[in-house]
Amino acid sequence: MAYGPPPSPGQGQQPGQPGWQQQGQQAWQQQPQPSAWQQQPPPSQGRNTAQMPGSFGQVSHDEKSWALMAYVGQFLIGVIAPAIAFFGKGRSPFVRRHAAQGLNMGLAAIAVWLVGGLLSLAVEVMIWVPLGFTAVTMFYLVYGARAANRGEYRRVPAPVAWPIFK
C-alpha cells in the first residue's frame, strides 16, 4: 500500500517502460531500519539498573534514588540529607560514594560560610566569597545529582567537596 504518488520516472525512462513500476514499488516497499535509540535494550540489562564504572556491578533503582537524595536533599535540609544517606545506606558502594561526596560538599559550604561570615564583619566585600562558593556548590550538586540518577559517578573538584569522608 503506497502513501502517495509513485516516484517520477528517472532520467531516460518513460512510464510505459517495464522497469519503471518495479523500481517504484521496491522504493515504497522498503522499510526503514530502526535507529539505535528506537531499539530495545539487550535483555542482559534490567530496566531499572545501569552499569557503574568500576567493579560495583549493577546499580538498582533504590540505590540511584538514595544517591540522588544525597544531593537534592541539600536544597531542603542541608547537610542532614547526605548524612542520612551516608549512614543509612552506606553498605552500598554506589550510595556511599555519592553520599560521601554530598556530605563533603555540605561540610565545605558550612565552613566557608562560617569563615566568610566572620571575615565579612571586618571587610564587607568578603561576603561575596561565600555567595560565590554557594553558586559553585549548587552547580556541582546538580552535576552530581544528574550522574547519580543515571547510575554513574562523577567526581566533584576537591576545592568544592573537601575530601573529609570517603
Side-chain angles (χ1 to χ4, degrees):
M1 171 182 235
Y3 292 104
S8 60
Q11 186 177 12
Q13 272 190 330
Q14 297 298 323
Q17 291 181 342
W20 180 75
Q21 285 186 339
Q22 291 173 355
Q23 289 175 355
Q25 288 176 353
Q26 288 173 356
W28 286 102
Q29 291 175 353
Q30 290 178 349
Q31 298 295 325
Q33 297 294 326
S35 62
W37 63 271
Q38 291 173 330
Q39 294 177 354
Q40 296 295 326
S44 63
Q45 292 179 343
R47 183 171 179 200
N48 291 329
T49 59
Q51 183 70 32
M52 182 177 163
S55 61
F56 293 104
Q58 296 293 324
V59 179
S60 71
H61 183 69
D62 185 50
E63 291 174 325
K64 288 194 281 186
S65 296
W66 275 92
L68 179 65
M69 284 299 119
Y71 296 110
V72 176
Q74 289 193 44
F75 290 108
L76 300 173
I77 56 175
V79 74
I80 297 170
I84 290 171
F86 185 79
F87 294 113
K89 284 286 191 176
R91 290 187 203 139
S92 166
F94 179 76
V95 175
R96 185 175 181 84
R97 286 183 76 182
H98 280 285
Q101 184 165 268
L103 191 56
N104 290 338
M105 289 170 65
L107 293 174
I110 289 172
V112 168
W113 268 100
L114 286 175
V115 173
L118 291 174
L119 288 176
S120 70
L121 294 174
V123 181
E124 289 182 15
V125 77
M126 289 299 290
I127 195 65
W128 290 103
V129 172
L131 289 174
F133 188 81
T134 300
V136 171
T137 301
M138 286 187 180
F139 170 79
Y140 280 108
L141 283 174
V142 172
Y143 176 76
R146 290 183 65 209
N149 195 37
R150 289 189 303 253
E152 303 169 352
Y153 178 75
R154 299 279 188 245
R155 183 173 297 276
V156 173
V160 178
W162 299 347
I164 299 169
F165 288 96
K166 294 187 182 206

